[in-house]
């Protein structure tokens, strides 16, 4: 399963994907004014327990894509359970009381013994210097034996293999700071199978192999962060860019939290964040809305309702001065520069999208042309908004990879020069026009998938409050002016609002 911080990227590109999807659904679809025609194929309803469904009829092929959006991500975690949202993503594939087990009642007792053994081992480890080494080894042995006993009842990967036998595609999940999402596409004749399986795993999840899966996640952390220079830099960079908000923590979590968190904590996390009121499901493809509503009521309405969790209340205070972190590593040098910016709801969000396109997208972007093609001081250079999320104020990032024989300082100064250029002179009409027309470029170049469309519907529904804001985004980009870009660059791209991360190759 995929995980980690998702670069939101340019909404120009995101909207382009959406509009090419609309071209496939509605020939001739070219503007936001066609929302009324789009709505004719859209059905939305909410069950009594608070679970919302978005159903888009797209009968061109006998397939359906399902996208379950849980409005919980790494940003919702607190100290002590960082990494829990991602870990639960793993747990959601382990099955239920009827799927993934040979004897659930016996397995339940075996898992209770694992928990008991882990808590005893955890307590002994927390004694630190006072820990009894002989006792530790005994407890480790008991913990391993308890896990081995539980394995006898396990049917590995039964949840995934059930879908695979029925012709599934794209079966996956991913966790970001803002959300946890579960996806799969199936033949349209298998809608009821999905209803049964998806409702069962959120009504009766079984957190089997919890401690083994923690080991898997810890290995992911070692490979993806601790052994990767850019991964280590990014973690350090985000930690100093955010001193209050949870956007500063890695999705995979801190190693000490992963080592000590318990199944009981995961169960409490599920009960709080996986209530129906915190889930939104999009179904796109050859689907009959009446059938979907009937089956959804039959399979999902029995899940108990619960209050929607409060959003993160911590507000990152204004940054008062430049922050900088330098890592020494024999790896490739690297420079990363970030500026705090508002969330997706702010009127300037579309302006940042336009800036993304002008300075950071493709070989014609300002950063690539200046640093890579003309000055030849970098082998890569770009910029984009929305790291690490969109729900809360995030960062606009610039980065560069110095060319052989060139330095981070040269690249950093060249990036600042391009930023000052944004402030000092208006972007050309041609640059601005290209940024706007890129939103429609996908109409010619490609067709989008049901799955991609379902992802965008849930994103806009949950994060902005209405899937129709897909259409509004293009209108907002169209209204961006050269003066807006200068104003935003001057307001946000300031020294005191800046965080800089560097990989220096000392010791190579």
């Amino acid at each position: 399963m995929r995980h980690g911080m998702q670069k939101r990227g340019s909404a120009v590109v995101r909207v382009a994907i959406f509009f090419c999807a609309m071209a496939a659904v509605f020939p001739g679809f070219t503007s936001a004014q066609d929302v009324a025609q789009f709505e004719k194929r859209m059905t939305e309803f909410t069950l009594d327990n608070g679970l919302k469904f978005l159903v888009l009829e797209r009968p061109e092929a006998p397939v359906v894509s399902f996208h379950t959006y849980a409005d919980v991500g790494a940003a919702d975690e607190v100290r002590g359970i960082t990494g829990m949202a991602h870990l639960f993503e793993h747990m959601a594939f382990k099955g239920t009381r009827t799927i993934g087990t040979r004897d659930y009642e016996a397995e339940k007792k075996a898992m209770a013994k694992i928990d008991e053994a882990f808590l005893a081992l955890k307590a002994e480890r927390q004694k630190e210097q006072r820990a009894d080494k002989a006792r530790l080894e005994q407890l480790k042995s008991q913990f391993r034996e308890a896990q081995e006993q539980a394995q006898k009842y396990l049917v590995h990967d039964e949840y995934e293999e059930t879908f695979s036998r029925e012709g599934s595609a794209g079966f996956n999940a991913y966790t970001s700071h803002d959300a946890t999402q579960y996806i799969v596409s199936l033949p349209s004749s298998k809608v009821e199978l999905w209803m049964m399986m998806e409702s069962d795993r959120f009504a009766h999840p079984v957190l089997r192999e919890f401690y083994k899966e923690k080991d898997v996640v810890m290995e992911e952390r070692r490979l993806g962060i601790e052994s990767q220079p850019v991964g280590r830099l990014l973690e350090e960079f985000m930690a100093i860019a955010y001193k209050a908000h949870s956007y500063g923590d890695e999705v995979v979590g801190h190693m000490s939290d992963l080592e000590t968190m318990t199944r009981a904590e995961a169960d409490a996390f599920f009960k709080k964040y996986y209530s129906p009121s915190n889930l939104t499901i999009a179904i796109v493809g050859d689907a009959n809305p009446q059938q979907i509503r009937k089956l959804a009521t039959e399979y999902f309405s029995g899940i108990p309702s619960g209050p929607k969790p409060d959003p993160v209340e911590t507000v990152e205070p204004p940054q008062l001065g430049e922050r900088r972190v330098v890592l020494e590593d024999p790896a490739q040098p690297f420079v990363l520069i970030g500026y705090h910016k508002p969330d997706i709801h702010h009127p300037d969000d579309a302006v940042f999208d336009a800036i993304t396109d002008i300075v950071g997208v493709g070989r014609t972007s300002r950063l690539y042309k200046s640093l890579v093609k003309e000055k030849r001081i970098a082998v890569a250079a770009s910029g984009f908004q929305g790291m690490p999320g969109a729900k809360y104020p995030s960062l606009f990032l610039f980065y560069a990879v110095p060319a052989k024989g060139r330095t981070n300082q040269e690249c950093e100064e060249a990036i600042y020069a391009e930023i000052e250029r944004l402030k000092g002179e208006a972007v050309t009409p041609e640059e601005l026009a290209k940024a706007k027309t890129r939103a429609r470029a996908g109409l010619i170049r490609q067709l989008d998938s049901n799955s991609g469309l379902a992802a965008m519907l849930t994103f806009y529904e949950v994060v902005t409050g209405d899937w129709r804001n897909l259409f509004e985004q293009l209108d907002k980009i169209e209204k961006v002016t050269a003066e807006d870009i200068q104003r935003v660059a001057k307001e946000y791209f300031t020294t005191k609002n800046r965080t800089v991360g560097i990989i220096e190759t000392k010791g190579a």
Side-chain angles (χ1 to χ4, degrees):
M1 270 54 77
R2 295 183 291 124
H3 72 284
M5 289 181 293
Q6 290 182 299
K7 180 179 75 173
R8 182 176 149 230
S10 171
V12 178
V13 176
R14 189 175 63 242
V15 174
I17 295 172
F18 169 70
F19 272 81
C20 76
M22 294 305 95
V25 178
F26 309 118
F29 182 94
T30 57
S31 76
Q33 296 176 351
D34 290 302
V35 65
Q37 184 181 6
F38 178 77
E39 285 184 309
K40 291 179 182 178
R41 293 200 185 189
M42 174 67 79
T43 299
E44 50 186 313
F45 61 89
T46 303
L47 300 180
D48 291 342
N49 59 11
L51 178 55
K52 183 157 192 176
F53 283 82
L54 303 173
V55 184
L56 176 65
E57 295 180 80
R58 201 179 182 192
E60 287 75 13
V63 294
V64 183
S65 291
F66 304 89
H67 195 111
T68 300
Y69 190 108
D71 189 17
V72 54
D76 297 287
E77 298 163 350
V78 296
R79 298 296 183 187
I81 61 165
T82 61
M84 183 65 83
H86 170 233
L87 180 58
F88 189 82
E89 171 212 312
H90 284 236
M91 288 292 96
F93 291 87
K94 293 298 181 179
T96 70
R97 298 172 188 174
T98 57
I99 301 170
T101 184
R102 293 182 174 87
D103 184 341
Y104 173 66
E105 292 303 321
E107 182 188 29
K108 183 179 179 181
K109 295 176 182 178
M111 288 191 295
K113 291 182 179 179
I114 296 175
D115 294 333
E116 182 182 344
F118 178 78
L119 290 174
L121 178 59
K122 178 180 175 179
E124 189 66 27
R125 283 172 171 166
Q126 289 175 337
K127 294 179 181 179
E128 298 181 351
Q129 290 86 358
R130 297 181 294 107
D132 185 323
K133 292 184 178 180
R135 175 63 174 161
L136 273 176
E137 290 305 314
Q138 179 186 20
L139 291 172
K140 287 179 184 178
S141 177
Q142 291 175 357
F143 180 55
R144 287 193 298 269
E145 290 174 6
Q147 288 182 305
E148 290 170 3
Q149 285 297 315
Q151 290 288 305
K152 296 178 181 179
Y153 307 105
L154 182 68
V155 181
H156 283 283
D157 301 323
E158 185 175 21
Y159 192 90
E160 179 176 358
E161 289 177 1
T162 299
F163 279 132
S164 181
R165 287 194 301 269
E166 302 299 335
S168 67
F171 183 75
N172 212 332
Y174 45 92
T175 307
S176 67
H177 280 79
D178 289 346
T180 310
Q181 304 176 60
Y182 303 88
I183 59 176
V184 69
S185 295
L186 288 163
S188 53
S189 60
K190 302 300 178 182
V191 169
E192 186 167 7
L193 171 69
W194 177 87
M195 291 281 183
M196 179 186 70
M197 298 279 286
E198 192 78 346
S199 62
D200 195 25
R201 74 163 157 178
F202 292 129
H204 307 110
V206 176
L207 308 185
R208 52 177 58 95
E209 291 193 297
F210 178 79
Y211 300 98
K212 287 182 176 293
E213 205 63 33
K214 284 207 307 176
D215 291 339
V216 172
V217 173
M218 285 188 279
E219 186 64 14
E220 287 184 22
R221 179 182 169 81
R222 294 185 190 100
L223 294 176
I225 297 176
E226 296 177 1
S227 65
Q228 297 293 328
V230 174
R232 292 197 299 272
L233 175 67
L234 190 57
E235 183 172 42
E236 295 293 329
F237 176 91
M238 296 302 293
I240 64 168
Y242 287 93
K243 68 178 185 180
H245 196 273
S246 48
Y247 266 179
D249 289 324
E250 252 288 356
V251 168
V252 76
H254 296 294
M255 186 64 83
S256 60
D257 288 349
L258 293 171
E259 289 172 340
T260 57
M261 63 177 56
T262 66
R263 196 195 320 263
E265 289 174 320
D267 186 59
F269 186 86
F270 167 78
K271 289 176 180 177
K272 180 176 181 180
Y273 290 106
Y274 277 80
S275 65
S277 61
N278 213 38
L279 301 176
T280 300
I281 295 174
I283 300 175
V284 178
D286 184 22
N288 181 298
Q290 289 72 35
Q291 180 199 29
I292 295 294
R293 187 191 292 265
K294 177 178 178 295
L295 292 173
T297 301
E298 178 182 348
Y299 285 98
F300 284 92
S301 61
I303 301 177
S305 61
K308 184 172 178 60
D310 292 331
V312 176
E313 295 179 339
T314 300
V315 176
E316 183 67 23
Q319 189 167 317
L320 302 179
E322 182 186 83
R323 301 168 186 169
R324 182 176 287 261
V325 59
V326 178
L327 298 187
E328 295 184 6
D329 195 282
Q332 169 73 48
F334 188 82
V335 57
L336 182 64
I337 303 167
Y339 297 89
H340 288 278
K341 58 166 290 294
D343 61 31
I344 193 173
H345 306 287
H346 195 277
D348 286 335
D349 184 68
V351 183
F352 284 106
D353 281 328
I355 294 174
T356 294
D357 189 277
I358 291 167
V359 305
V361 176
R363 293 173 176 268
T364 60
S365 67
R366 286 188 174 189
L367 283 174
Y368 190 90
K369 286 168 64 177
S370 176
L371 276 70
V372 179
K373 294 176 68 175
E374 296 170 4
K375 297 178 181 177
R376 298 185 178 183
I377 60 175
V379 295
S382 187
F384 59 90
Q385 80 142 318
M387 182 64 119
K391 284 173 65 176
Y392 307 105
S394 58
L395 300 175
F396 193 106
L397 292 186
F398 298 88
Y399 71 87
V401 180
K404 186 176 181 180
R406 310 312 289 258
T407 68
N408 285 321
Q409 183 177 356
E410 288 178 288
C411 290
E412 185 177 349
E413 291 174 354
I415 291 173
Y416 295 150
E418 288 302 321
I419 291 173
E420 291 305 311
R421 183 182 167 200
L422 277 178
K423 298 177 183 179
E425 62 184 65
V427 299
T428 66
E430 292 77 16
E431 287 177 307
L432 193 56
K434 187 179 73 171
K436 294 176 179 180
T437 57
R438 195 182 292 262
R440 295 190 178 91
L443 286 170
I444 300 171
R445 294 196 306 264
Q446 60 182 347
L447 294 177
D448 192 31
S449 65
N450 289 341
S451 181
L453 181 51
M456 286 184 287
L457 289 171
T458 54
F459 171 83
Y460 275 94
E461 177 66 29
V462 177
V463 176
T464 74
D466 193 336
W467 58 265
R468 295 168 185 82
N469 288 327
L470 274 166
F471 300 90
E472 297 297 326
Q473 185 66 25
L474 185 64
D475 289 341
K476 291 176 182 177
I477 294 170
E478 286 290 342
K479 294 176 182 177
V480 173
T481 67
E483 291 75 21
D484 288 328
I485 291 175
Q486 275 188 294
R487 172 182 56 80
V488 166
K490 289 177 181 179
E491 181 176 354
Y492 296 100
F493 297 159
T494 64
T495 301
K496 72 175 184 179
N497 192 38
R498 183 169 72 204
T499 301
V500 181
I502 299 289
I503 296 178
E504 292 285 6
T505 56
K506 293 179 182 179

